[in-house]
Amino acid sequence: MEMECVTEFPHTHMDRRPKKRPRLAWDVPQATKAQPGIICGQEVGNVTSLASSGAPSDHTCSSLYVKGVARNGSPPWRDDDKDGHYMFALGENLTPRYRIHSKMGEGTFGQVLECWDRERKEMVAIKIVRGIKKYREAAMIEIDVLQQLCRHDKNGSRCVQIRNWFDYRNHICIVFEKLGPSLYDFLRKNSYRSFPIDLVRELGRQLLECVAFMHELRLIHTDLKPENILLVSAEYIKVPDYKYSSRSPKDACYYKRLPKSSAIKVIDFGSTAYEDQDHSYIVSTRHYRAPEVILGLGWSYPCDIWSVGCILVELCSGEALFQTHENLEHLAMMERVLGPIPPHMLKRVDRHAEKYIRRGRLDWPEGATSRESIKAVLKLPRLQNLVMQHVDHSAGDLIDLLQGLLRYDPTNRLTAREALRHPFFTRDLHRRS
């Protein structure tokens, strides 16, 4: 469920790129804003009912109301905007069952609204897909994947649960359980301070359990990233950040947030691929894209494993491992952090990636587009050093795990089940028992 197109940032901002990266998750409500030409408001006579049911109230819209609409009445018919997005007003109904409370986010697919489910008496997140044929078709594929996951999900696989779906005024609407913030959004609000290693272990275990579950169903997510991993609960605690212990403890920025619960769920199955599909096209969001995808070698289950490795590094350090928006620079960053790409992979690149290779090796730094690009690569540490900078204990186990997840050759990369048996996860269990 990609929310926004990632914008490209110049190399002059390389060290600040992760903080400028657009938020791609649909988890945390943004400031309430009226849709173009549409009033913002609530239903008359029902202003307090949501608050009393645990739903937040719209202070920003408290002076405006949707007048003359019955409790379960239909909103007036409106044309979609020029891009095919559904036009709505807060407080209106989305079918008699759902009442629109706030907008949570939007993207190329459409938008996500927080709605009150009158039948189940709970808040839900509803993805409203643009009324355009290709997006409607993609939404039906996503529904098929979600329903398949739900049918096989006996033990809680860490995948978001589909509650319902319907076709409303030419818009496919998918109803999900409402979850907390994404891991990326949590990091952002925490000033990009890293998670403690024991929390990283718990998050990594759940993520790999989800990936293993999907792979056993012959499904490949293809777009794993912190934006698509949501905490189940939005609750958090504040603890002192000991790196700043010499400063005044009264200053809020010297405290960091920790989620009260480590429980997570993976979202966005709109890009999920089946094992028997064509696997030659580009997949994954840039920062988490595996080398075989960039080199045009074809991809399969291991591309998800590479993404998991990148995510674990980001959770430990607070910043994306490969902060780049250009293929050759991206490959050069990989070599800087992980060592040289195997020659047998470089020999098999497709015609689109041939320009990145010269005389059997990466055309770097000769092929760099700027000095800033070369500097951005040079300032990256080796993987072992990067982990040691941020991890106090379990560093050795984590480095070994990451080296297995981030192997260049996808045929040699750990599987999700193999990763779950790694000492980084099992040694901790032995200590507790």
Side-chain angles (χ1 to χ4, degrees):
M1 214 160 6
E2 186 162 308
M3 294 306 305
E4 302 168 10
C5 293
V6 177
T7 52
E8 298 198 8
F9 302 109
H11 290 294
T12 51
H13 299 298
M14 177 68 72
D15 58 335
R16 297 185 61 82
R17 277 189 215 176
K19 300 183 184 182
K20 290 180 175 288
R21 185 172 61 176
R23 185 167 69 86
L24 303 182
W26 49 268
D27 45 301
V28 178
Q30 299 169 337
T32 309
K33 191 182 288 185
Q35 300 305 295
I38 305 299
I39 60 170
C40 167
Q42 298 172 315
E43 293 176 17
V44 177
N46 199 28
V47 175
T48 59
S49 64
L50 291 186
S52 63
S53 303
S57 59
D58 283 309
H59 298 298
T60 52
C61 297
S62 58
S63 61
L64 293 169
Y65 301 92
V66 177
K67 296 181 179 177
V69 179
R71 173 182 165 81
N72 294 336
S74 298
W77 183 277
R78 307 182 186 96
D79 290 333
D80 294 342
D81 73 6
K82 61 182 176 60
D83 297 316
H85 290 284
Y86 178 70
M87 301 293 283
F88 65 91
L90 301 185
E92 282 184 346
N93 294 319
L94 189 71
T95 77
R97 177 171 174 175
Y98 302 103
R99 177 178 179 273
I100 299 170
H101 184 262
S102 68
K103 182 173 175 177
M104 303 176 80
E106 69 174 79
T108 52
F109 66 86
Q111 49 203 338
V112 177
L113 305 182
E114 180 186 29
C115 297
W116 177 248
D117 182 345
R118 290 189 171 100
E119 196 171 298
R120 295 182 62 141
K121 300 288 189 286
E122 66 178 3
M123 280 295 192
V124 292
I126 302 184
K127 178 178 178 177
I128 305 181
V129 177
R130 288 161 67 183
I132 295 172
K133 186 182 176 186
K134 68 175 181 178
Y135 293 106
R136 285 175 56 86
E137 289 172 350
M140 294 310 296
I141 292 169
E142 181 175 9
I143 289 166
D144 184 57
V145 171
L146 286 162
Q147 289 180 333
Q148 187 176 346
L149 292 170
C150 196
R151 277 196 305 273
H152 293 87
D153 189 4
K154 307 299 181 199
N155 303 311
S157 67
R158 314 295 180 187
C159 300
V160 68
Q161 296 292 301
I162 182 173
R163 290 264 197 266
N164 187 18
W165 75 273
F166 52 91
D167 197 345
Y168 184 71
R169 297 183 177 181
N170 196 39
H171 294 271
I172 302 295
C173 302
I174 311 176
V175 184
F176 295 97
E177 59 183 324
K178 185 173 179 287
L179 301 171
S182 72
L183 294 186
Y184 172 70
D185 222 48
F186 199 96
L187 280 171
R188 182 178 63 82
K189 290 189 175 178
N190 223 9
S191 303
Y192 297 92
R193 281 179 279 200
S194 58
F195 287 128
I197 188 61
D198 293 327
L199 179 56
V200 172
R201 181 183 287 109
E202 289 304 312
L203 298 173
R205 180 184 286 118
Q206 294 173 75
L207 178 55
L208 283 163
E209 284 169 356
C210 175
V211 172
F213 169 70
M214 290 191 69
H215 289 183
E216 283 154 13
L217 291 176
R218 300 187 175 182
L219 295 170
I220 310 164
H221 189 285
T222 80
D223 198 19
L224 294 170
K225 54 187 175 182
E227 291 89 338
N228 283 341
I229 306 164
L230 272 53
L231 289 160
V232 172
S233 169
E235 290 188 291
Y236 63 87
I237 57 172
K238 282 189 173 181
V239 298
D241 190 343
Y242 294 108
K243 288 183 181 177
Y244 299 97
S245 58
S246 59
R247 311 291 184 92
S248 168
K250 294 179 182 177
D251 194 329
C253 72
Y254 301 117
Y255 287 82
K256 67 178 180 182
R257 299 176 179 192
L258 288 179
K260 272 193 178 180
S261 167
S262 63
I264 56 170
K265 292 206 175 187
V266 172
I267 65 164
D268 189 358
F269 300 94
S271 304
T272 297
Y274 291 88
E275 181 188 45
D276 56 358
Q277 282 180 280
D278 168 42
H279 291 171
S280 60
Y281 55 93
I282 297 296
V283 291
S284 306
T285 298
R286 160 66 69 188
H287 301 72
Y288 312 96
R289 189 174 295 156
E292 64 268 23
V293 178
I294 301 170
L295 295 171
L297 303 177
W299 48 267
S300 189
Y301 304 106
C303 77
D304 281 345
I305 301 299
W306 180 277
S307 300
V308 171
C310 295
I311 291 165
L312 292 182
V313 174
E314 186 166 349
L315 299 181
C316 286
S317 68
E319 295 185 344
L321 176 56
F322 301 117
Q323 299 165 31
T324 178
H325 295 275
E326 193 271 317
N327 282 337
L328 180 58
E329 182 187 84
H330 194 170
L331 293 167
M333 286 182 164
M334 289 180 185
E335 290 205 328
R336 179 74 179 174
V337 174
L338 301 166
I341 298 170
H344 75 268
M345 291 180 68
L346 298 180
K347 283 177 186 170
R348 291 171 36 234
V349 300
D350 74 356
R351 58 188 178 84
H352 300 292
E354 282 175 354
K355 58 189 173 187
Y356 309 131
I357 315 301
R358 193 175 183 199
R359 293 176 184 168
R361 67 171 186 86
L362 212 58
D363 186 23
W364 188 269
E366 296 79 7
T369 55
S370 67
R371 269 189 206 170
E372 286 78 12
S373 181
I374 296 170
K375 287 178 185 174
V377 171
L378 285 173
K379 77 174 190 179
L380 283 172
R382 296 285 292 179
L383 180 67
Q384 297 93 317
N385 295 339
L386 194 156
V387 172
M388 296 291 283
Q389 286 172 21
H390 296 280
V391 177
D392 46 3
H393 66 89
S394 304
D397 283 342
L398 178 58
I399 290 165
D400 189 68
L401 171 66
L402 291 171
Q403 287 172 335
L405 299 174
L406 296 173
R407 286 178 190 147
Y408 285 119
D409 189 335
T411 62
N412 294 331
R413 221 169 280 157
L414 292 176
T415 66
R417 286 288 171 214
E418 286 169 347
L420 285 165
R421 293 193 291 268
H422 190 277
F424 179 67
F425 299 110
T426 60
R427 212 188 300 274
D428 175 60
L429 293 174
H430 295 324
R431 276 200 301 264
R432 282 189 283 181
S433 58

